[in-house]
Amino acid sequence: MPLNRKVAIIDLTTGDIEIKPIPLEMRRKYIGGRALDAYLLYNHMKPGADPLGPDNVVVVSGGLLTGCLASGVSRTHVCAKSPLTGGFGSCNGGGFFSAELAYAGFHHLVIKGKAKKPVYLYVHNGKIEIRDGSNVWGTTVHDCQKIIRKELGDEEVKVLCIGQGGENLVRFANVMTGLKNSGGRTGMGAVMGSKNLKAIAARGTMDIKIAHPQEALEFNKGFVKLITSAKVNQTMGKIGTGFIWGATNSWGGVRVRNFQLNQLEDSETVEAEYLDEISEKTIGPNHMSACYGCQVHCRPRYRIPEGWPYAGEYDEGPEYTSQGAFAGEPGIPIGEVVLVANHMVNMWGLDTLETGSIISWAMELYEKGILTLEDTGGLDLRFGNYEALFEMIRRIAFREGLGDILAEGGRRAAEKIGKDSAKYLIDVKGMQNLHSDERATPALALNIAVSSRGADHLRGRPAIDLYKLPEPVLRKIYSTPIPYNGPLSSDYRDYQGKAWQVVWHEHCFMGVDAVGICKYHTTFLGATLPNFPDWSKAIYYNTGLEMTPEEIWYVAERGYNLERLFNLREGWTEKDDWLPDRYFDEPCALGAPGVRGRKIDREKFKKIRDEYYQHRGWDENGVPTPETLKRLGLDNEPSHIL
């Protein structure tokens, strides 16, 4: 049964391993995945812990339905205190690891302490071993996985690991599995590196008993039909997520030259169609691949073309975020550059978004004379110089020269560089925003300002706000499963009703992260895709656990409030729920008529942020009220039940 998958508490300092069942009451309160991880981190980590010290705690998990009869249940979540932001660190990636972890008998691993020397964990059929990792320390993400599989004598072993970026404590290092499945954002790879934990290998052959197998199969057939019939997923299945970047660039919603422009011109070779041609030439017609149990197949495969660094090397992607990070932000409209840079960050385990953003920030500083040739070690760090981009990625991964400063993240780097450099950062809570520009879209701007892990689109971005959906359609979506009678607007430039849209999507994303389903299988980019009522049925047919859509909503609300409590405990305040000044002061220079000239209005933005707090049951300082905590059963946390 999925409900009998266990949690293991692993102390790398002492070598002690404790394995526990997950009580049913905890499943009802948190389901699993990210929501239960928030509980485990809040309960197991000492307040004020050094993010790169032994008191920090890493939690690794799959969702409740991982490995079950449901589509897209392949997500792996990792959380810890972030070395980049000092707040709730969290990342979520696809691939095959979480399913293998479930087949090995586990849904959650809580990892404490610090090993004396490099190690990796081997999780297999109810057992966990701490093994010597000296032979894989210093290897790339790709080589590490090959070596561990060979050592364990089993090609079916799935490995979650870090590259040299994590070993070198780059504060935005990824956790990776497979070639490109990335747990990016907030530096979870650096936390693993600080514990001398190179990897976690999983192999399982333990069956997962399905509560109602026939009904689960029948329901999943309809689920799959719904997902694969959506135009947005059909497009992704042909050319990957790269089409999102092209669509967004067409109306002026991307960052270019750090934040100087909002549209990349002459960028035909950055478009997904051009990159798809390279995939077809170098791999063949069947060049799309998928994560465990997914029918969308949104992942292109490619080899780097001749004439470029790493020519002939095989990789996967790029996602639309890499197009923004390595083409738009540094002002380099060349598709092959995106492919090379994508390979470099995958190999060394760096966050695409943070890497591209911080280099683009440094490029703006260089062009403004804040950084000099002496500062860059002789590197001509102007916008458009792709050779400088490649070299700076390498220097960040291995902490050389200016790369060592940038590896500390934007705010620490700005403190060191000085000279008013901080005002050119495009970050929230210490994490760089992705490649998008939200000055024309107040709902999307609010999302990145209040997100629980810093500027982020995967915490609650109401992307369908851009579709100009009729008000009755919006009303149906945003009144499920909790009634909502407030205002809604079909105009993406409006401020009306946007606070509720952000809350709704935050709960939607927390819900799928708890269940373990990919966000592309829910109301993220497609208005008709599954959400709360569908998860309720999938949970029941697979596990036998009866949960109403409303109960899942409250699980999501509970999890989101726990992340908020964690951040407040670590020192964040309502002042952190705010945008960089450039959003308010510099209008969009390019784009569609409805976008050009737009910027965020400070007063209106403060008003929707206050509305957001009210919807959440938080006071004017963004603190959950005692009544809210009692309603959600959080008034006695940390409770140390698990």
Side-chain angles (χ1 to χ4, degrees):
M1 292 283 285
L3 296 173
N4 66 13
R5 266 39 197 174
K6 295 183 170 59
V7 57
I9 318 294
I10 302 151
D11 191 326
L12 294 176
T13 302
T14 64
D16 293 338
I17 299 173
E18 184 181 11
I19 296 173
K20 296 180 177 181
I22 300 173
L24 190 58
E25 64 172 296
M26 298 301 287
R27 289 293 192 185
R28 287 202 164 279
K29 287 188 77 171
Y30 299 103
I31 295 179
R34 178 180 150 206
L36 186 53
D37 286 351
Y39 172 88
L40 292 167
L41 183 61
Y42 192 70
N43 276 266
H44 282 268
M45 195 200 83
K46 296 176 182 176
D50 176 357
L52 297 178
D55 287 338
N56 201 358
V57 174
V58 178
V59 186
V60 178
S61 74
L64 175 61
L65 296 187
T66 299
C68 292
L69 291 177
S71 177
V73 283
S74 62
R75 307 300 292 182
T76 301
H77 182 253
V78 182
C79 73
K81 183 176 180 180
S82 168
L84 181 68
T85 69
F88 189 82
S90 165
C91 60
N92 195 306
F96 293 77
F97 178 81
S98 63
E100 201 68 36
L101 187 67
Y103 290 131
F106 295 92
H107 271 173
H108 297 262
L109 307 176
V110 179
I111 305 166
K112 302 179 172 183
K114 177 180 180 179
K116 292 180 181 175
K117 60 181 183 178
V119 298
Y120 73 89
L121 301 179
Y122 181 35
V123 185
H124 56 107
N125 289 352
K127 299 177 182 176
I128 298 176
E129 299 174 38
I130 302 175
R131 298 175 68 106
D132 184 5
S134 301
N135 60 331
V136 286
W137 198 259
T139 61
T140 66
V141 165
H142 305 160
D143 288 343
C144 173
Q145 296 175 69
K146 292 178 188 173
I147 293 169
I148 288 178
R149 285 196 192 97
K150 186 176 181 181
E151 181 173 297
L152 295 174
D154 189 341
E155 285 300 310
E156 294 302 320
V157 167
K158 305 299 184 294
V159 180
L160 187 78
C161 68
I162 61 174
Q164 290 94 332
E167 295 176 12
N168 293 327
L169 307 184
V170 176
R171 289 179 185 266
F172 43 90
N174 279 357
V175 177
M176 309 279 294
T177 179
L179 285 174
K180 57 80 65 179
N181 302 298
S182 305
R185 316 262 66 191
T186 68
M188 297 299 93
V191 180
M192 281 182 62
S194 74
K195 295 181 175 302
N196 279 331
L197 178 61
K198 177 70 176 179
I200 304 170
R203 179 73 174 110
T205 57
M206 300 167 70
D207 289 341
I208 299 176
K209 183 178 180 182
I210 304 300
H212 305 285
Q214 190 61 41
E215 290 86 348
L217 275 171
E218 287 299 318
F219 180 75
N220 197 45
K221 280 170 63 179
F223 199 85
V224 170
K225 185 176 180 181
L226 184 61
I227 290 164
T228 55
S229 63
K231 295 296 183 188
V232 63
N233 286 339
Q234 290 177 358
T235 305
M236 278 199 284
K238 289 181 179 176
I239 55 176
T241 64
F243 86 93
I244 301 171
W245 188 88
T248 312
N249 185 45
S250 68
W251 57 265
V254 300
R255 289 206 278 138
V256 175
R257 298 170 70 93
N258 195 24
F259 197 66
Q260 295 180 359
L261 298 171
N262 57 306
Q263 195 170 44
L264 184 66
E265 297 177 328
D266 302 320
S267 58
E268 288 76 11
T269 69
V270 183
E271 298 288 346
E273 289 82 355
Y274 179 81
L275 299 177
D276 185 63
E277 289 176 10
I278 294 177
S279 289
E280 184 148 345
K281 284 179 186 173
T282 59
I283 301 296
N286 301 315
H287 55 268
M288 302 300 289
S289 62
C291 297
Y292 176 91
C294 181
Q295 295 75 30
V296 175
H297 291 234
C298 71
R299 195 165 60 203
R301 298 177 293 158
Y302 68 93
R303 290 189 184 278
I304 296 175
E306 292 298 322
W308 292 91
Y310 305 102
E313 290 288 320
Y314 172 81
D315 216 311
E316 296 178 349
E319 303 288 342
Y320 68 103
T321 48
S322 293
Q323 292 161 288
F326 301 129
E329 291 179 64
I332 305 171
I334 304 172
E336 286 84 351
V337 170
V338 176
L339 299 181
V340 173
N342 180 64
H343 177 66
M344 295 172 78
V345 295
N346 285 347
M347 187 168 54
W348 296 323
L350 298 178
D351 180 10
T352 287
L353 294 173
E354 203 74 25
T355 303
S357 289
I358 203 164
I359 293 173
S360 301
W361 170 67
M363 285 178 164
E364 185 166 8
L365 299 184
Y366 180 76
E367 292 206 347
K368 290 183 182 303
I370 295 173
L371 287 176
T372 64
L373 265 180
E374 184 179 355
D375 296 321
T376 64
L379 205 60
D380 182 17
L381 204 58
R382 57 187 160 78
F383 286 119
N385 185 350
Y386 63 80
E387 291 177 333
L389 172 76
F390 296 155
E391 176 59 15
M392 193 50 71
I393 293 172
R394 191 193 67 77
R395 291 186 188 182
I396 288 173
F398 294 94
R399 280 186 171 272
E400 295 178 8
L402 179 63
D404 185 39
I405 296 173
L406 300 184
E408 287 293 294
R411 294 197 178 180
R412 289 176 180 83
E415 282 182 15
K416 191 147 191 174
I417 294 169
K419 302 177 189 175
D420 219 14
S421 58
K423 79 175 189 180
Y424 301 104
L425 281 173
I426 305 300
D427 78 336
V428 176
K429 301 181 176 80
M431 188 167 87
Q432 306 273 329
N433 192 25
L434 74 158
H435 62 272
S436 59
D437 186 327
E438 295 81 7
R439 282 176 289 184
T441 53
L444 276 59
L446 179 64
N447 159 233
I448 66 167
V450 299
S451 164
S452 62
R453 67 173 182 180
D456 186 41
H457 63 301
L458 295 176
R459 267 333 203 229
R461 168 158 287 195
I464 59 173
D465 194 47
L466 301 171
Y467 299 173
K468 292 189 175 184
L469 297 171
E471 195 271 349
V473 175
L474 293 174
R475 183 73 55 192
K476 182 179 179 182
I477 294 170
Y478 293 120
S479 297
T480 303
I482 300 298
Y484 173 71
N485 299 314
L488 288 169
S489 172
S490 300
D491 188 341
Y492 64 83
R493 299 165 300 180
D494 206 344
Y495 290 76
Q496 189 170 242
K498 305 306 180 185
W500 177 253
Q501 287 181 251
V502 172
V503 171
W504 191 93
H505 282 276
E506 286 177 343
H507 287 189
C508 176
F509 289 9
M510 176 64 89
V512 285
D513 286 346
V515 176
I517 296 175
C518 178
K519 291 182 179 66
Y520 290 136
H521 288 214
T522 190
T523 314
F524 177 23
L525 300 179
T528 60
L529 291 177
N531 62 60
F532 297 91
D534 304 283
W535 307 332
S536 174
K537 293 172 185 172
I539 289 173
Y540 174 69
Y541 293 140
N542 278 279
T543 72
L545 185 63
E546 294 185 63
M547 294 192 73
T548 66
E550 292 81 1
E551 287 175 312
I552 299 172
W553 171 275
Y554 292 122
V555 165
E557 185 178 10
R558 195 172 290 119
Y560 213 88
N561 272 273
L562 262 181
E563 292 182 353
R564 184 71 175 185
L565 290 177
F566 182 95
N567 286 333
L568 293 170
R569 193 174 73 177
E570 297 304 314
W572 287 7
T573 71
E574 88 286 355
K575 293 179 181 176
D576 295 296
D577 297 331
W578 202 246
L579 299 168
D581 284 343
R582 297 177 81 173
Y583 275 79
F584 305 104
D585 300 333
E586 299 178 19
C588 294
L590 300 171
V595 171
R596 192 179 296 230
R598 302 289 299 187
K599 59 183 179 180
I600 296 294
D601 182 295
R602 276 192 174 81
E603 291 304 315
K604 291 179 180 176
F605 189 74
K606 183 178 184 309
K607 184 179 178 183
I608 61 171
R609 193 194 66 171
D610 292 345
E611 289 172 3
Y612 170 86
Y613 286 170
Q614 290 167 13
H615 286 310
R616 286 222 156 278
W618 298 350
D619 66 17
E620 67 276 12
N621 295 315
V623 178
T625 64
E627 294 78 16
T628 298
L629 295 180
K630 186 173 182 179
R631 175 173 60 82
L632 295 172
L634 297 176
D635 46 334
N636 291 316
E637 292 301 338
S639 60
H640 301 295
I641 294 173
L642 191 60

